[in-house]
Amino acid sequence: MRRTLAIAGLTWKAAFRFRLFIVIAVLLLGSVVALPLLIEDDGTARGFTQILITYTLSTITGLLGLSTLWLACGTLARDIEDAQIQVVVTKPIARWQIWLGKWLGIVSLNAVLLAISGASVFGLLQYRATKLPAAEQQILKNEILLARGSARPPTFAADVEAETDRLLRERIDKAGPGVSQLNLEQVRREIREQVKATLQVVPPGYTREWQIELGPAAAKLRDKPLYLRIKFNAADKSPTGTFAGVWRAGVPQETQLWGSEPMSLAPDTFHEFQIPAGLLDSQGVLSVAFLNVNNTTLLFPLEEGMEVLYHEGGFAPNFARGLGIVFCWMALLAAIGLCSASFLSFPVAAFFSFALLTVVFSSGTLANAVTEGTIANYDPEHGTKGSSPVDFVVIPTFKAVLNIIQLAREFSPVDSLSTGRSITWTQLGMAFLQIVVLLGGVFAAIGIWTFTRRELAAAQGTQ
């Protein structure tokens, strides 16, 4: 371990010798402290978080990610190209220790930079929060600068799929011999949406009810207020752009009852409002109902139409856990850069690493191709699609790539922190296992195996 740490120390010295640490630190502080001080928000808690949390954390992730890839590619590839690595490998140290030492050096460098920039953002948040109006400071305290857990009603996904399969079989039976000409994939999607609509729509004058289980957290929440986060879509437009509705919560003769005045809410937008304590039944279930008083049918999506939010912890630990997930991403990028540099020259390794990053950012395009089942032209209106002779290879490949990308992208600390969502220790642990141990371990194994078998003298001799 002493030899590995010695290599990590040399990586630090190289970063300071070439002023890399200082340059990155200045860029980070300038981007996350100086610029936000010059940019004015709209005076609301939402605008405040959009500027300070979303912008600063996204900037930190972007700058550290690019510098990590660049340093990881350069620190190993340059040592090989400049024949400096030949001096190191003559010492009593294994090549895997050299590779691991450089990774530890880059990772520890990122940890210090992330701690400096994170502490700066946290201090700036506390300072700028005092400049908001008193009402907005209260919103910030109750809805954003904290860690909130969430609970959702069941989505009935299994029931939806079962009913969709049943109706699809009935339609196939009725179609008879002509079933081969049907676009079964498109028909199934249409049937699924029809089945989901029966669970989502609230016709005029009707009431929609939700049963949300709070689980183990219910015992601590009986005497605390909760927040409802809702979103709906409208079948038609209204002259004012909003729709009215009356909300009710509680169970008669078992809990307290709460009812709202008619609320005017905009469609296709998330809304949050507080409900009082004492509404949970003996099983820890919250009953919520919505009465549609409009002349238009409203639709609450099963996946995001209703959510209950509750206080779970403080903002400072939550913010630290969010930075921990960003740190896991940086550790993975360091492994990718070193893996590329283990068998490629510096320019090619940098190009290859940034190409992988581009694929990650293009996951939406890959997902569309997988959903449509082809990379050829697709007509969503008529449900028709083109075909490509390489679809049978490309589409399964895209599916595999998306599954790998999802291992890292399913953790979103920026979104969670900007909306006051709790980032649990379990989530941080899963992020470490999936991003660092699993994905990073694969790239580390490839990189170490390649670097161990690479003929360094021959590589230098080809220059």
Side-chain angles (χ1 to χ4, degrees), residues 331-400:
L332 173 60
L333 292 178
I336 292 174
L338 286 172
C339 177
S340 304
S342 297
F343 61 94
L344 297 171
S345 64
F346 173 57
V348 181
F351 175 81
F352 176 76
S353 300
F354 287 116
L356 286 180
L357 205 58
T358 302
V359 171
V360 173
F361 289 134
S362 304
S363 59
T365 303
L366 302 184
N368 288 337
V370 170
T371 301
E372 296 165 2
T374 181
I375 59 174
N377 294 328
Y378 177 79
D379 185 358
E381 182 177 352
H382 300 93
T384 60
K385 62 182 180 181
S387 61
S388 171
V390 297
D391 281 344
F392 72 97
V393 174
V394 172
I395 298 303
T397 303
F398 282 2
K399 288 182 180 179

Side-chain angles (χ1 to χ4, degrees), residues 291-443:
L291 172 62
N292 184 4
V293 298
N294 306 278
N295 295 323
T296 299
T297 296
L298 302 181
L299 184 148
F300 288 81
L302 292 177
E303 296 80 8
E304 57 184 8
M306 169 62 64
E307 185 177 12
V308 177
L309 302 173
Y310 53 87
H311 184 273
E312 197 172 54
F315 178 72
N318 204 45
F319 185 75
R321 289 190 291 268
L323 292 181
I325 293 179
V326 175
F327 175 75
C328 292
W329 288 346
M330 298 304 109
L332 173 60
L333 292 178
I336 292 174
L338 286 172
C339 177
S340 304
S342 297
F343 61 94
L344 297 171
S345 64
F346 173 57
V348 181
F351 175 81
F352 176 76
S353 300
F354 287 116
L356 286 180
L357 205 58
T358 302
V359 171
V360 173
F361 289 134
S362 304
S363 59
T365 303
L366 302 184
N368 288 337
V370 170
T371 301
E372 296 165 2
T374 181
I375 59 174
N377 294 328
Y378 177 79
D379 185 358
E381 182 177 352
H382 300 93
T384 60
K385 62 182 180 181
S387 61
S388 171
V390 297
D391 281 344
F392 72 97
V393 174
V394 172
I395 298 303
T397 303
F398 282 2
K399 288 182 180 179
V401 170
L402 286 174
N403 289 333
I404 295 173
I405 292 174
Q406 187 61 23
L407 290 175
R409 295 198 64 177
E410 67 177 284
F411 305 98
S412 180
V414 177
D415 291 340
S416 296
L417 292 172
S418 62
T419 56
R421 301 302 184 91
S422 177
I423 300 173
T424 65
W425 288 108
T426 300
Q427 289 175 316
L428 179 57
M430 289 300 298
F432 179 80
L433 289 176
Q434 292 182 199
I435 299 174
V436 181
V437 177
L438 183 57
L439 294 179
V442 170
F443 282 101

Side-chain angles (χ1 to χ4, degrees), residues 77-114:
R78 285 297 188 189
D79 282 356
I80 295 174
E81 293 169 6
D82 297 341
Q84 296 179 10
I85 198 69
Q86 296 181 22
V87 178
V88 179
V89 296
T90 58
K91 307 296 182 182
I93 181 172
R95 291 196 188 184
W96 68 267
Q97 292 177 309
I98 298 174
W99 198 99
L100 184 60
K102 287 187 174 293
W103 182 80
L104 287 175
I106 297 170
V107 167
S108 58
L109 189 70
N110 277 330
V112 173
L113 290 170
L114 191 59

Side-chain angles (χ1 to χ4, degrees), residues 14-335:
F16 276 98
R17 184 169 63 251
F18 295 110
R19 305 292 190 271
L20 180 65
F21 181 90
I22 298 174
V23 169
I24 296 176
V26 170
L27 285 175
L28 283 172
L29 293 178
S31 300
V32 305
V33 176
L35 285 181
L37 285 174
L38 299 176
I39 300 175
E40 291 292 334
D41 56 70
D42 59 4
T44 66
R46 300 296 175 190
F48 173 85
T49 56
Q50 187 69 26
I51 292 294
L52 287 182
I53 296 182
T54 304
Y55 164 76
T56 54
L57 289 184
S58 299
T59 302
I60 289 173
T61 304
L63 283 176
L64 272 184
L66 293 176
S67 62
T68 297
L69 280 178
W70 188 263
L71 176 61
C73 292
T75 188
L76 186 58
R78 285 297 188 189
D79 282 356
I80 295 174
E81 293 169 6
D82 297 341
Q84 296 179 10
I85 198 69
Q86 296 181 22
V87 178
V88 179
V89 296
T90 58
K91 307 296 182 182
I93 181 172
R95 291 196 188 184
W96 68 267
Q97 292 177 309
I98 298 174
W99 198 99
L100 184 60
K102 287 187 174 293
W103 182 80
L104 287 175
I106 297 170
V107 167
S108 58
L109 189 70
N110 277 330
V112 173
L113 290 170
L114 191 59
I116 293 173
S117 54
S120 301
V121 171
F122 186 82
L124 186 62
L125 279 170
Q126 304 303 316
Y127 169 73
R128 288 287 295 268
T130 61
K131 305 297 181 181
L132 293 175
E136 295 299 328
Q137 287 188 38
Q138 194 65 24
I139 293 176
L140 201 65
K141 178 182 177 181
N142 294 333
E143 300 183 18
I144 300 173
L145 294 187
L146 74 169
R148 294 191 295 178
S150 68
R152 299 177 185 268
T155 59
F156 305 102
D159 296 335
V160 169
E161 293 301 322
E163 182 64 11
T164 300
D165 292 337
R166 186 185 69 81
L167 294 176
L168 180 61
R169 286 194 299 269
E170 289 183 358
R171 186 169 298 190
I172 291 174
D173 293 339
K174 291 180 180 179
V179 68
S180 60
Q181 299 178 5
L182 294 175
N183 188 336
L184 294 182
E185 187 177 332
Q186 175 66 18
V187 172
R188 196 178 195 284
R189 281 199 293 266
E190 293 175 355
I191 294 175
R192 184 191 294 112
E193 292 304 317
Q194 292 171 4
V195 173
K196 289 174 62 177
T198 62
L199 301 172
Q200 298 176 139
V201 297
V202 186
Y206 279 73
T207 299
R208 166 80 186 277
E209 295 185 359
W210 293 267
Q211 302 290 323
I212 304 106
E213 295 184 10
L214 275 297
K220 301 179 181 179
L221 300 174
R222 294 189 181 278
D223 59 346
K224 295 182 179 179
L226 304 173
Y227 286 84
L228 295 184
R229 189 173 194 257
I230 62 100
K231 179 182 180 182
F232 65 89
N233 311 115
D236 298 308
K237 296 181 179 179
S238 71
T240 61
T242 61
F243 296 88
V246 178
W247 293 89
R248 299 284 186 268
V251 180
Q253 301 179 351
E254 185 175 349
T255 70
Q256 296 185 27
L257 298 178
W258 170 82
S260 73
E261 296 295 328
M263 291 186 182
S264 182
L265 303 173
D268 306 315
T269 303
F270 285 105
H271 300 277
E272 287 187 22
F273 52 89
Q274 182 177 322
I275 60 176
L279 300 177
L280 300 180
D281 66 13
S282 59
Q283 304 299 318
V285 176
L286 176 67
S287 299
V288 180
F290 171 79
L291 172 62
N292 184 4
V293 298
N294 306 278
N295 295 323
T296 299
T297 296
L298 302 181
L299 184 148
F300 288 81
L302 292 177
E303 296 80 8
E304 57 184 8
M306 169 62 64
E307 185 177 12
V308 177
L309 302 173
Y310 53 87
H311 184 273
E312 197 172 54
F315 178 72
N318 204 45
F319 185 75
R321 289 190 291 268
L323 292 181
I325 293 179
V326 175
F327 175 75
C328 292
W329 288 346
M330 298 304 109
L332 173 60
L333 292 178

